Amino acid sequence: TRAPIFAFLIHQRFSNSHDPPVAADTSESLAEVGYSQENPPSEDLDRHTALATTEKCMPPPGSPSTFAPYARTLPSAIPLPICWKRNELALLAVCNPGLAPLQDAAATTLQLVSEFMALVDAGIAQRFPSIFPPGLITWERWVWAASVYTSRVLPVQCYLNKGEKASQSHIVAEDEAFQSPADVWNELGVMIPLLDMLNHDESAQVTWEPAVPQDDMLMNGEDHNEGEQIESHPPRTVLHKRVKKGSQVYTHYGNWNNQELILRYGFAQMSNTNDEVRIGWTIQDCCGNVKSPSDYTPTFLKDVDDVAQAEESGDAKLSGGKVYSVESGSNTIGSWWTKNRIEVLEKNTASDANTIAMLKQGKHLVAYAKSDGTFHPIFLSACVVGTMSPTGIDKYCAKMKEEGTKLELTKKHQTVLRHYLDFYFARKLEKLLTNLNKGLNDHFNNVQLWTRASQGGVHYNSNNGEGGNASSDDVAYTGWQSFFDMHAYNGTMEVEKKYYALAPDSCVLTLYDGHIRSLQAALDAVSTPEKFESTVLKQLGDLDFVIAQEESEDDYSKPGIGSNEKSKASDNSGKGGKQSGKGTGGKNNNDDAKSGGKEQQKSGRRRNRRGKGDRPAAIKLHIGNLAYATNPSDLFNFFSKLYGRENVLECHIPTERDTGRSRGFGFVTMPEQVALKALQSGRKHEVDGRLLKVAESNSAGSGKGNRGGGGGGG
């Protein structure tokens, strides 16, 4: 539906005529191809006379005969991602936050190609030679028209009368006619000359007022008092603030994050308060009574000695109460996330059965961390449940069915929650910074970013004396904030003491900065007890949790009712087995050692089939001989068709880092019974003309990965 708009903009801007008309003259078009009243076209019309069979749409009374003056004021280039060069787009591919806008730009480009080719194949130049002579419509002009339309189109409500929400509810006036269905109007919107020239600023000086028709009865859905005099007027822009002569007038484009600003308008706002970062949380990201990771130091403590002192002093008195993430498949998941804890999670997050089942299967709960330091309510509630002590879970479950029962956070629970949020977001930030460090290395002269959340994190400064023992080598690390200030301001514009990134590289860095600032804001929210109380605990109070003000008994060391004792015992016996193996290993001969090695390999394969907590056992299959053109969606659809969509738990095709090209193999994870059926059936699996080689993978099952869990930031 957008194609006619693009063609119209190209015609009005690039036509050889000084004033290309809005409505074509049919008689002139017929004369150009040799027809006249004496020589009319026959019923078997030649393709050159398509205009003769087209119903002529007359423009509304009072409308201009040409829009060429307006079209020629439009900028010759709009810096949307669809107009970026390949090396500029490559900067989006260095890290996860850039993949979404990169995929959007690729999808938009493919759609433009499809629309352009459909127009060319339909023979628009041959069928309407007087309007579109050869050479008028080119690919470059097509992309220009698309970028101009995307960056300047306004909602259809700007044209409709006051109170009308959609074109279907519009009451058409006597001298007005819709040449297109109402759905098309809703989709396309409108372009308003002059108004679309105003730049963006949050403190806008103008307000758009829809039309109020002459007849009061035409007001559709607008409440007003009986006898109230309503001034009728056409659509108009009202300046509601004083503006100095010669100063620029601004409007407000909307409360968009930087990803949307880049895709819609081709710029990004530095320190955008609407920025947020997408995060993924699983129950394995929040398990208690586990060993503290050796490489983790709370960001609000400077070093390991401070941690020991804090634990002794009571600020971080977490004996038996430390909550961290664990590897997928760990027995700790089943012993910590008991049936009671799952029930508490379902009640306090208001999640449906499908969401709970998804979490039990090890899948992610998608949430967002915002740059203003607030947390996604479901995510925060899940963290509260995940950090409760086993005894606290049991006490709450005993009263949960009573009406009006609210979950109370004891003082110790609050401390555990604070440390857990610090750990979780520190891991997310470090993951993002590590990926950025790898990706930006080739673009910015081998820069080495500081990738730890400690020692200032994004504000790390090697000259402030804190980074002296950050590394034993001689690498000069740069904090993200220093790097951003050095490189991002090269292509910016200042408006009312705010900076806007215009150049593609500056836009991408500002996009990444928004994600980093959001994660850092989450860490800042727990950096001191006072901030934790004013942000996290306040938000929990708003979510109807009870914040205890006095100490009460809360034991994290005792297992709760319904805990997976079998898994716990298996975990302990596994550790004992390893120790026993080590103790006898020196006495056994080499043959025994080799035999033990084979048994260990078999045991490893058995472990790959082990369920994860309450999750059914699954097997990861190695899929070889894939065509390079086969993508994960193709592979997923193929196996879903054969074995059922619900049985394809995970599908992945590794790619080469430099080129993004498939490596020719992939992995599909399915429940054990279904996977064994695929292995033993002897069925041929063929995708894109290639006979696949299906075998059990030697690597661990779905979900095995880094300590920080999956989902966001990196």
Side-chain angles (χ1 to χ4, degrees):
T1 54
R2 303 179 308 168
I5 301 294
F6 299 166
F8 175 76
L9 288 172
I10 292 173
H11 172 253
Q12 294 292 302
R13 170 71 177 253
F14 300 103
S15 174
N16 292 328
S17 172
H18 184 266
D19 295 316
V22 172
D25 190 330
T26 306
S27 60
E28 292 183 3
S29 302
L30 292 175
E32 288 184 6
V33 293
Y35 293 105
S36 62
Q37 293 182 349
E38 294 76 16
N39 181 29
S42 62
E43 292 184 1
D44 185 18
L45 292 174
D46 186 82
R47 64 177 182 173
H48 292 286
T49 65
L51 197 61
T53 63
T54 304
E55 181 181 354
K56 186 175 181 180
C57 299
M58 298 302 297
S63 62
S65 60
T66 179
F67 277 90
Y70 164 66
R72 288 166 186 153
T73 63
L74 298 174
S76 58
I78 304 290
L80 297 185
I82 58 173
C83 305
W84 291 3
K85 298 177 181 178
R86 182 173 297 181
N87 63 313
E88 295 167 341
L89 289 170
L91 199 55
L92 285 171
V94 305
C95 195
N96 221 22
L99 295 182
L102 180 61
Q103 291 170 349
D104 188 281
T108 302
T109 302
L110 289 175
Q111 183 180 0
L112 288 175
V113 170
S114 176
E115 294 170 343
F116 181 73
M117 293 307 300
L119 208 63
V120 172
D121 292 342
I124 186 172
Q126 290 77 23
R127 295 168 67 86
F128 303 99
S130 62
I131 301 177
F132 300 105
L136 182 65
I137 297 182
T138 64
W139 170 247
E140 289 76 14
R141 291 175 177 176
W142 190 258
V143 174
W144 168 84
S147 62
V148 165
Y149 167 80
T150 301
S151 62
R152 291 170 179 261
V153 68
L154 295 169
V156 71
Q157 287 81 1
C158 293
Y159 173 82
L160 304 178
N161 297 326
K162 187 175 182 180
E164 296 175 342
K165 305 300 182 183
S167 298
Q168 288 85 346
S169 61
H170 180 59
I171 300 177
V172 181
E174 293 182 2
D175 57 348
E176 181 185 24
F178 272 10
Q179 304 293 348
S180 302
D183 291 340
V184 175
W185 276 80
N186 289 333
E187 179 183 349
L188 293 181
V190 294
M191 297 177 68
I192 302 178
L194 185 61
L195 185 62
D196 63 6
M197 296 178 64
L198 303 183
N199 285 325
H200 166 76
D201 188 64
E202 293 176 350
S203 57
Q205 301 140 313
V206 298
T207 302
W208 177 260
E209 294 186 356
V212 174
Q214 186 71 33
D215 187 355
D216 182 21
M217 299 303 295
L218 289 180
M219 297 286 292
N220 187 9
E222 182 69 16
D223 295 330
H224 58 277
N225 298 325
E226 185 177 354
E228 179 183 357
Q229 294 296 323
I230 301 177
E231 178 191 358
S232 63
H233 60 78
R236 64 187 182 185
T237 301
V238 178
L239 190 67
H240 56 75
K241 290 184 180 179
R242 289 181 176 272
V243 180
K244 294 181 180 179
K245 183 178 180 180
S247 299
Q248 191 171 167
V249 178
Y250 298 100
T251 188
H252 188 218
Y253 292 180
N255 295 319
W256 304 111
N257 59 36
N258 276 329
Q259 177 175 315
E260 291 297 326
L261 288 178
I262 292 172
L263 292 174
R264 291 170 179 264
Y265 306 108
F267 70 86
Q269 180 180 343
M270 295 184 173
S271 301
N272 189 347
T273 56
N274 298 300
D275 274 333
E276 57 189 13
V277 58
R278 184 176 183 268
I279 55 177
W281 183 88
T282 65
I283 58 176
Q284 76 185 47
D285 288 337
C286 190
C287 291
N289 293 333
V290 296
K291 185 179 179 181
S292 172
S294 58
D295 60 342
Y296 167 65
T297 301
T299 60
F300 45 81
L301 300 174
K302 293 184 178 180
D303 51 40
V304 178
D305 292 335
D306 286 344
V307 177
Q309 293 174 11
E311 291 183 349
E312 290 295 330
S313 65
D315 176 61
K317 194 173 182 180
L318 305 175
S319 176
K322 297 176 182 177
V323 180
Y324 302 108
S325 63
V326 297
E327 297 288 349
S328 60
S330 171
N331 291 319
T332 306
I333 301 175
S335 60
W336 185 257
W337 284 94
T338 61
K339 181 180 179 181
N340 282 351
R341 192 179 293 272
I342 293 293
E343 289 179 357
V344 176
L345 177 69
E346 184 173 3
K347 177 177 174 59
N348 286 276
T349 58
S351 300
D352 55 23
N354 292 332
T355 302
I356 298 299
M358 176 190 70
L359 288 171
K360 290 171 67 175
Q361 292 175 2
K363 296 182 180 179
H364 293 102
L365 170 71
V366 178
Y368 293 87
K370 299 183 178 295
S371 58
D372 61 359
T374 57
F375 297 88
H376 192 284
I378 295 180
F379 163 77
L380 189 57
S381 301
C383 291
V384 168
V385 176
T387 53
M388 287 181 70
S389 68
T391 55
I393 288 288
D394 296 338
K395 289 179 182 179
Y396 179 76
C397 283
K399 301 179 180 180
M400 189 166 59
K401 294 182 180 180
E402 298 179 7
E403 186 177 354
T405 301
K406 296 182 180 180
L407 194 152
E408 181 180 14
L409 280 78
T410 65
K411 295 293 287 185
K412 188 171 185 178
H413 186 186
Q414 296 170 32
T415 304
V416 175
L417 175 62
R418 179 189 172 203
H419 278 253
Y420 171 70
L421 291 174
D422 179 85
F423 164 77
Y424 179 84
F425 284 104
R427 280 293 193 253
K428 291 295 183 184
L429 179 61
E430 289 172 352
K431 181 181 178 183
L432 176 56
L433 289 174
T434 299
N435 289 341
L436 278 173
N437 185 47
K438 294 177 181 178
L440 297 176
N441 195 275
D442 297 333
H443 293 269
F444 294 94
N445 299 325
N446 298 319
V447 64
Q448 290 294 325
L449 293 177
W450 176 251
T451 59
R452 300 296 302 276
S454 57
Q455 299 188 27
V458 299
H459 302 292
Y460 169 82
N461 185 355
S462 59
N463 298 322
N464 63 7
E466 295 182 359
N469 21 356
S471 177
S472 58
D473 52 29
D474 296 328
V475 177
Y477 291 101
T478 304
W480 169 260
Q481 192 61 57
S482 299
F483 167 81
F484 181 77
D485 293 343
M486 187 184 308
H487 296 280
Y489 285 88
N490 294 333
T492 61
M493 176 182 70
E494 183 181 4
V495 176
E496 299 295 328
K497 298 182 180 179
K498 299 184 183 70
Y499 288 91
Y500 295 88
L502 303 178
D505 56 345
S506 183
C507 283
V508 176
L509 292 180
T510 304
L511 172 69
Y512 292 151
D513 181 64
H515 287 246
I516 291 174
R517 285 188 304 101
S518 299
L519 293 174
Q520 185 64 53
L523 289 173
D524 292 341
V526 299
S527 59
T528 66
E530 293 76 19
K531 288 185 178 180
F532 178 70
E533 181 178 356
S534 62
T535 55
V536 179
L537 295 185
K538 182 180 181 301
Q539 189 173 351
L540 288 174
D542 295 338
L543 293 173
D544 218 19
F545 289 94
V546 177
I547 311 300
Q549 302 299 325
E550 298 179 357
E551 293 285 354
S552 59
E553 184 180 354
D554 200 1
D555 194 346
Y556 279 79
S557 59
K558 295 180 181 179
I561 299 173
S563 62
N564 194 340
E565 298 291 346
K566 183 177 180 180
S567 296
K568 190 174 181 180
S570 174
D571 193 20
N572 292 333
S573 66
K575 294 178 181 177
K578 291 180 181 178
Q579 292 173 358
S580 174
K582 290 180 181 178
T584 59
K587 298 179 182 180
N588 294 341
N589 56 29
N590 291 338
D591 292 337
D592 290 338
K594 292 179 180 178
S595 175
K598 293 180 180 178
E599 289 299 321
Q600 191 175 8
Q601 291 177 359
K602 292 180 180 179
S603 175
R605 292 212 174 190
R606 285 195 296 270
R607 283 195 300 271
N608 289 345
R609 300 185 186 184
R610 183 179 300 163
K612 303 172 177 66
D614 295 331
R615 181 179 179 178
I619 295 179
K620 177 182 281 189
L621 300 179
H622 181 279
I623 314 298
N625 200 37
L626 287 175
Y628 291 122
T630 302
N631 58 43
S633 297
D634 299 332
L635 194 61
F636 177 84
N637 292 333
F638 174 77
F639 277 88
S640 296
K641 186 176 181 181
L642 289 181
Y643 302 105
R645 193 178 188 89
E646 69 282 359
N647 290 323
V648 183
L649 306 179
E650 186 179 72
C651 185
H652 173 60
I653 297 179
T655 57
E656 296 177 357
R657 178 180 172 185
D658 296 334
T659 63
R661 183 185 183 189
S662 166
R663 296 174 65 183
F665 65 90
F667 299 96
V668 174
T669 303
M670 297 192 293
E672 182 175 358
Q673 293 183 350
V674 181
L676 291 177
K677 178 182 176 181
L679 290 170
Q680 299 168 2
S681 64
R683 171 185 285 175
K684 292 183 179 180
H685 300 79
E686 185 175 338
V687 178
D688 293 336
R690 302 290 290 270
L691 196 61
L692 306 183
K693 297 179 181 179
V694 181
E696 184 175 350
S697 172
N698 290 327
S699 61
S702 170
K704 184 175 182 179
N706 53 59
R707 294 180 182 271

